[in-house]
Amino acid sequence: MNREHLRGLFSAKSARVDTNRGEEYYNSLFERCKKRVEELKRLEPVNGVDIMEVLEDEGVSRRDFLKWASAMTATLMLPASFTPLVAEAAEVMNRVPVIWLELQDCAGNTEALIRSDGPKVDELILDIISFEFNETLMTAAGHQAEEQLEDAMHHFKGKYLLFVEGAIPVGAGKEWCTIGASGETFEEHLHRVAKDAAAIVAVGTCATFGGVPAAAPNPTGAVGVMDIVKGKPIVNIPACPANPANMVGVILHYVLTGQIPELDSLLRPKFAFGYRIHDNCERRAHFDAGEFVEEWGDEGAQNNFCLYKVGCKGPMTFNNCSIIRYNESVNWPIGAGHGCIGCSEPDFWDKYAYERPMADANIKAPTGGVEKSVDEFGLGLLSAAAVGIGIHAAISAFAGKKDEGDE
Ligand code: SF4
Ligand code: SF4
């Protein structure tokens, strides 16, 4: 394999996979992916680990692994015929080196990964892919850590995926957060490491949109990666924390196709953020029936009614946690009884994280159809000419009162 060819294997700049094509497109994509996986198989694992051996040691049977591959194929919006190929791609995921930077945040995304006590295949795979550098998890510190980062950047120049967790403070002086003995600011640090990355994956809402550090009055001038890094392919995986399944999905897509996934206007992969929470919510039937929790602990709460009136922002939020859930798929926030606070949307802390409906939220009428993506739904949600939830809620309340009166 010559140098040019090898560089091609790790270039993420090519066109994105189009998920709306026909059979001919998928046949040709299959052949391309197959060729790429074969080529990756010929490379040595960067960390010398056999992924299948580790999975087996952790008690994951071949059957479970294939079930996971089948679910992941569906998550990536690929036809079922891609399942065996997705399984093969997962086996060679550690041919792609990953550098992970921890910037201005609480490390919640890393915590979400390492705190699971019964890890799923997603978490196990993330554990054993080739993390060449991860400030939070590695044992090296100080000069030793800096050398490790330099080595990884030099050795895998142009080939590594750069995962970034945390916001970047760029307000007055930019010295709110510095790293290392040289006092490099986070902004300088990010620019230096991003320069030779094949692609950048911003993980969590702080790295994507500034998140909680950027909440008003944003004293440090916190911003997301896409606000300051230009000229590189960037994939945003927001949420607080980002779901490990979506992180694996992005790496797997890259391993399989050599491309970053198809993105929405906020650079979020459509396979994960093409769905509105509200459209896949287990309480949706109650919304449509006008059955709401009116206050915490009431009869509606005991009956798992819709949480809209106690502040659920599921109608404004795009994410797949209503489908794939958290904590080994055990549950998710709405399932546990609290409304969605829109954590995968820009400015969520100021715009959505309170326990009452938005005063001016006009959302489409119940049963009025499903918006397909954030682009079609539109960021101009609040000005949408649609029947308002307020009206619907008022009608439901009126109907309820009328029923009471009729009795
Ligand atoms: S408003 Fe919230 S709880 Fe109600 S159906 Fe929509 S997403 Fe589910
Ligand atoms: S339900 Fe909403 S707030 Fe909760 S994790 Fe999902 S997107 Fe974030």
Side-chain angles (χ1 to χ4, degrees):
M1 217 175 281
N2 66 33
R3 230 196 168 117
E4 217 32 58
H5 190 71
L6 205 57
R7 197 170 297 136
L9 263 182
F10 290 97
S11 160
K13 287 186 181 156
S14 38
R16 285 145 186 110
V17 172
D18 187 332
T19 48
N20 291 317
R21 299 275 186 84
E23 198 182 334
E24 201 181 314
Y25 170 78
Y26 284 113
N27 286 344
S28 125
L29 178 66
F30 188 90
E31 289 311 315
R32 266 196 289 139
C33 294
K34 198 168 161 204
K35 192 163 162 245
R36 179 174 163 80
V37 171
E38 288 305 325
E39 283 170 350
L40 284 171
K41 272 185 194 169
R42 275 183 246 133
L43 300 178
E44 283 297 309
V46 179
N47 56 2
V49 171
D50 182 326
I51 289 186
M52 291 317 292
E53 261 175 31
V54 177
L55 290 180
E56 207 175 305
D57 289 349
E58 292 287 339
V60 177
S61 68
R62 183 79 195 160
R63 190 184 152 87
D64 288 342
F65 176 65
L66 287 175
K67 261 167 65 184
W68 170 84
S70 160
M72 193 48 89
T73 306
T75 302
L76 290 175
M77 296 164 84
L78 291 168
S81 55
F82 276 65
T83 301
L85 207 48
V86 167
E88 283 183 56
E91 290 178 38
V92 295
M93 272 176 73
N94 56 352
R95 266 60 166 186
V96 176
V98 173
I99 290 179
W100 184 297
L101 296 186
E102 183 80 51
L103 303 179
Q104 187 185 22
D105 76 325
C106 66
N109 301 283
T110 301
E111 289 284 339
L113 272 183
I114 60 175
R115 292 289 171 217
S116 66
D117 57 355
K120 288 190 304 173
V121 179
D122 303 321
E123 283 123 19
L124 285 169
I125 284 187
L126 272 178
D127 231 18
I128 50 184
I129 57 168
S130 183
F131 274 128
E132 289 308 304
F133 181 86
N134 184 320
E135 285 149 329
T136 317
L137 301 183
M138 66 194 203
T139 42
H143 293 299
Q144 219 185 5
E146 283 181 33
E147 271 170 36
Q148 203 163 316
L149 176 60
E150 281 298 327
D151 282 354
M153 284 164 54
H154 177 72
H155 196 70
F156 300 108
K157 188 172 177 174
K159 298 177 195 165
Y160 57 87
L161 286 181
L162 173 61
F163 274 62
V164 181
E165 179 179 6
I168 308 96
V170 295
K174 304 184 181 182
E175 279 103 11
W176 299 93
C177 299
T178 62
I179 192 157
S182 67
E184 190 176 37
T185 66
F186 275 7
E187 187 183 14
E188 291 162 343
H189 190 53
L190 174 60
H191 278 307
R192 182 162 65 89
V193 187
K195 190 169 145 279
D196 291 321
I200 303 171
V201 185
V203 178
T205 300
C206 300
T208 51
F209 310 130
V212 174
N218 192 359
T220 63
V223 295
V225 173
M226 68 178 175
D227 295 312
I228 60 167
V229 176
K230 305 292 172 197
K232 284 275 168 193
I234 297 176
V235 180
N236 280 336
I237 311 180
C240 194
N243 201 310
N246 294 334
M247 300 183 211
V248 172
V250 167
I251 305 176
L252 195 52
H253 190 285
Y254 176 64
V255 169
L256 192 61
T257 65
Q259 299 167 349
I260 58 173
E262 194 180 355
L263 306 175
D264 70 11
S265 56
L266 294 172
L267 307 187
R268 302 178 295 193
K270 284 189 179 175
F271 74 76
F273 298 91
Y275 313 95
R276 205 167 52 135
I277 294 289
H278 187 58
D279 295 324
N280 294 293
C281 176
E282 62 213 33
R283 300 186 186 222
R284 176 61 186 260
H286 293 298
F287 173 89
D288 289 349
E291 295 171 335
F292 298 97
V293 174
E294 302 285 340
E295 58 183 66
W296 300 114
D298 69 5
E299 213 183 319
Q302 286 160 30
N303 285 312
N304 298 328
F305 283 1
C306 170
L307 297 159
Y308 182 81
K309 288 191 181 178
V310 283
C312 180
K313 307 302 185 305
M316 297 83 181
T317 306
F318 287 80
N319 201 344
N320 60 355
C321 52
S322 48
I323 303 169
I324 59 175
R325 299 170 164 236
Y326 280 90
N327 297 334
E328 291 87 58
S329 302
V330 168
N331 210 342
W332 67 299
I334 289 176
H338 196 281
C340 168
I341 57 171
C343 74
S344 53
E345 298 298 325
D347 303 324
F348 86 97
W349 194 254
D350 297 326
K351 262 166 76 183
Y352 296 146
Y354 45 82
E355 293 176 339
R356 60 182 190 282
M358 292 178 74
D360 49 357
N362 291 317
I363 66 166
K364 283 197 175 176
T367 67
V370 173
E371 291 80 6
K372 285 193 188 131
S373 73
V374 73
D375 301 321
E376 285 159 76
F377 190 50
L379 296 172
L381 168 71
L382 298 182
S383 62
V387 180
I389 175 71
I391 296 172
H392 172 65
I395 291 170
S396 320
F398 174 74
K401 292 243 159 53
K402 188 170 175 296
D403 289 348
E404 278 166 28
D406 289 346
E407 278 166 14

